[in-house]
């Protein structure tokens, strides 16, 4: 993504307050700093209000949202830990399927978790920029995943 696309997408409010309000947002702290986070929701993400083109997510399927690891803490298993927490919480809430819109750089991470590629999604951003992501989904295990110590 160009710096302009990244900035425009962030300005949309990719972090949705409803994730916190629904108590479906999780964070990992190191020395008092949040270094990784993520959540899920049944609500439509802010960015989808732009009128997505391409593959659409099915309604009432939980969407994995806002998975992020601070670059200083990358490659330490924190993204994997957040995804396991999110998926386990979806399972505990009775869901058997999950979906997400992966950033292009996040597709390999989602592939490793068994998400299937369903098609591209494009969102028109302010100032004529376009954000492209990949719609992905998967069946969730019937029992929560155990996290490695």
């Amino acid at each position: 993504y160009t710096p302009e696309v990244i900035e425009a997408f962030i300005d949309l409010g990719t972090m949705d307050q409803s994730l916190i309000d629904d108590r479906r947002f999780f964070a990992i702290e190191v020395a008092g700093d949040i270094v990784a986070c993520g959540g899920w929701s049944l609500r439509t993400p802010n960015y989808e209000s732009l009128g997505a083109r391409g593959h659409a997510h099915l309604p009432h399927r939980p969407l994995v949202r806002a998975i992020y690891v601070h670059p200083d803490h990358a490659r330490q298993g924190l993204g994997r830990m957040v995804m396991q927490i999110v998926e386990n919480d979806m399972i505990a809430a009775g869901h058997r399927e999950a979906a997400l819109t992966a950033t292009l750089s996040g597709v390999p991470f989602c592939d490793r978790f068994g998400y299937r590629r369903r098609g591209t999604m494009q969102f028109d951003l302010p100032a004529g920029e376009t954000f492209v992501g990949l719609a992905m989904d998967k069946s969730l295990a019937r029992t929560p995943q155990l996290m490695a110590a």
Side-chain angles (χ1 to χ4, degrees), residues 24 40 62 83-98 138-145:
R24 299 293 186 206
W40 68 274
M83 184 66 92
Q84 287 174 330
I85 291 167
V86 167
E87 288 185 353
N88 287 344
D89 194 58
M90 286 189 278
I91 292 166
H95 299 288
R96 298 294 173 246
E97 294 181 319
K138 74 181 268 188
S139 295
L140 296 172
R142 295 200 184 276
T143 56
Q145 302 173 35

Side-chain angles (χ1 to χ4, degrees), residues 6-94:
I6 293 169
E7 192 63 34
F9 193 67
I10 290 171
D11 285 347
L12 285 175
T14 56
M15 177 50 212
D16 189 340
Q17 182 65 37
S18 68
L19 294 173
I20 296 169
D21 295 342
D22 291 346
R23 305 185 59 79
R24 299 293 186 206
F25 189 73
F26 308 94
I28 297 174
E29 291 184 23
V30 172
D33 294 324
I34 295 175
V35 298
C37 61
W40 68 274
S41 179
L42 292 171
R43 300 179 194 226
T44 302
N46 292 343
Y47 55 83
E48 286 195 12
S49 67
L50 297 172
R53 297 187 314 273
H55 184 87
H57 291 297
L58 296 174
H60 307 297
R61 181 182 288 176
L63 291 174
V64 175
R65 306 270 308 281
I67 301 290
Y68 175 78
V69 176
H70 189 283
D72 291 346
H73 296 272
R75 303 277 181 220
Q76 297 176 19
L78 298 176
R80 177 178 46 84
M81 187 181 299
V82 169
M83 184 66 92
Q84 287 174 330
I85 291 167
V86 167
E87 288 185 353
N88 287 344
D89 194 58
M90 286 189 278
I91 292 166

